Amino acid sequence: MSNKVGILTGGGDCPGLNAVIRAVVRKSIEPYKYEVVGFIGGWRGVLDMEFEMLTRDSITGIVHRGGTIIKTSRTNPLKIENGIEQIIENYHKIGLKALIAIGGEDTLGVAKALNEKGLNMIGVPKTIDNDLSGTDYTFGYDTAVNIAMDAIDRVHTTAESHNRVMVVEVMGRHTGWIALAAGIAGGADVILIPERPFEIDKVCQSLKQRHKRGRDFSIVVVAEGAKFKVGPAKEEKLILQDQKLDEFGHVRLGGIGNLLAQAIEEITGFESRVVILGHIQRGGAPTAFDRVLATRFGIKAIDMVHNGEFGKMAALKGTEIISIPLSEAVDKVKLVSEDLIKTAEVFFG
Ligand code: F6P
């Protein structure tokens, strides 16, 4: 019976990945006595047989570090000719007992496909976007929200001093989780999210109303995936950095903040500036919440390996860490709740 467990981190990096790896390795060593094979660069490492054995030495002093000690990539084996077959062959060549994939919808989608082909797959949910179904939170999200909130706080004092509109663009490809939480916490006056395509005139009306009431500065938080409604047909428009697609078919978003600030200045006459947070939200040390959540996910994942709970993902439900089918996590995006939108709206305008 094999005692080798593989682990990989795929997709965009995220604060807390190292805490998951550390937890998996620690409990593998004791009590389970498994060896941990760390694949380098996500699925690319499995395809190219690039890996290193993770020992206690490899994982000391990493719980507080952002990024991932085993690197990551957006390599998609489903898009590579014979990619899945190659992974299955390498899995057996190494003699793995199971493979733990830490990732978002893309990485876990591949894990699900491999599980259907008979490999023993376990998933751990990761994304700063918090848009994976089946889990209340993904680790990395809390850190990103705190970074964005801190940025909004800083922008607040300069907006107030100059009587300006400050537009803060945050990440969030399909959903507005980061924008809403950071916006509520930072006291934003307008929050624009992918779930609610917006009309620029209405945004400007709301800012004008606020300024009429005697406030002469405003904070607008916008998720990179928010959509402008344009033209008489109110067509929804996404703002792209360029036309390139990654291997999972995703466009590169970003830049909506610039357009928004420009339009607000033109329509309202209020001087406007933009701050695009970008990858700052994904870098650096995880918050305590994310370190603990990531650690609990790692422990659960290795327990699931031990109990033979394959084809499943560790998930947070309330205060409990449970396991759910991978399909539940990847089949649909988790949109922000109506309740959170309604809470934010109380403070608009
Ligand atoms: O999926 C997480 C995320 O940070 C998104 O919010 C963002 O759109 C994307 O990754 C950026 O990806 P990359 O780091 O490949 O540019």
Side-chain angles (χ1 to χ4, degrees), residues 233-261:
K234 304 221 184 306
E235 210 180 301
E236 293 171 11
K237 195 171 166 218
L238 262 178
I239 309 304
L240 312 184
Q241 275 188 48
D242 53 46
Q243 298 299 320
K244 273 186 242 143
L245 297 182
D246 70 15
E247 286 195 25
F248 285 90
H250 300 303
V251 289
R252 278 184 71 198
L253 295 170
I256 190 168
N258 285 317
L259 289 181
L260 200 55

Side-chain angles (χ1 to χ4, degrees), residues 1-178:
M1 186 68 173
S2 163
N3 72 338
K4 283 191 188 137
V5 177
I7 188 166
L8 65 85
T9 52
D13 72 339
C14 169
L17 286 166
N18 285 328
V20 181
I21 298 167
R22 170 177 173 264
V24 166
V25 173
R26 284 295 289 266
K27 198 157 182 188
S28 288
I29 296 170
E30 202 52 57
Y32 292 140
K33 305 201 178 351
Y34 298 147
E35 289 181 83
V36 182
V37 181
F39 289 99
I40 309 299
W43 295 115
R44 179 169 50 74
V46 194
L47 285 164
D48 298 348
M49 289 286 265
E50 194 189 342
F51 59 82
E52 62 181 55
M53 300 311 293
L54 298 178
T55 62
R56 194 155 172 153
D57 272 354
S58 341
I59 50 104
T60 50
I62 64 167
V63 70
H64 60 284
R65 274 171 53 193
T68 159
I69 58 162
I70 49 175
K71 313 270 181 178
T72 186
S73 74
R74 293 201 188 270
T75 301
N76 180 1
L78 295 165
K79 282 280 167 66
I80 296 171
E81 210 184 321
N82 298 323
I84 290 294
E85 291 72 16
Q86 189 63 61
I87 286 186
I88 294 172
E89 193 183 316
N90 293 351
Y91 175 104
H92 291 301
K93 212 185 270 172
I94 299 169
L96 291 179
K97 175 187 181 67
L99 178 53
I100 299 172
I102 313 171
E105 48 159 342
D106 299 330
T107 306
L108 298 180
V110 176
K112 181 182 158 223
L114 287 166
N115 192 74
E116 282 158 5
K117 297 268 183 195
L119 299 195
N120 294 337
M121 299 299 309
I122 303 282
V124 174
K126 165 247 61 158
T127 165
I128 64 162
D129 290 358
N130 196 39
D131 59 359
L132 265 178
S133 291
T135 185
D136 290 351
Y137 289 106
T138 49
F139 65 87
Y141 168 65
D142 184 64
T143 306
V145 168
N146 275 286
I147 293 170
M149 180 193 72
D150 184 53
I152 296 167
D153 286 350
R154 285 168 193 283
V155 151
H156 225 119
T157 57
T158 152
E160 203 166 355
S161 307
H162 285 269
N163 292 348
R164 282 175 177 157
V165 175
M166 296 295 295
V167 176
V168 180
E169 180 183 312
V170 299
M171 279 187 169
R173 207 199 285 274
H174 307 297
T175 64
W177 287 103
I178 298 176

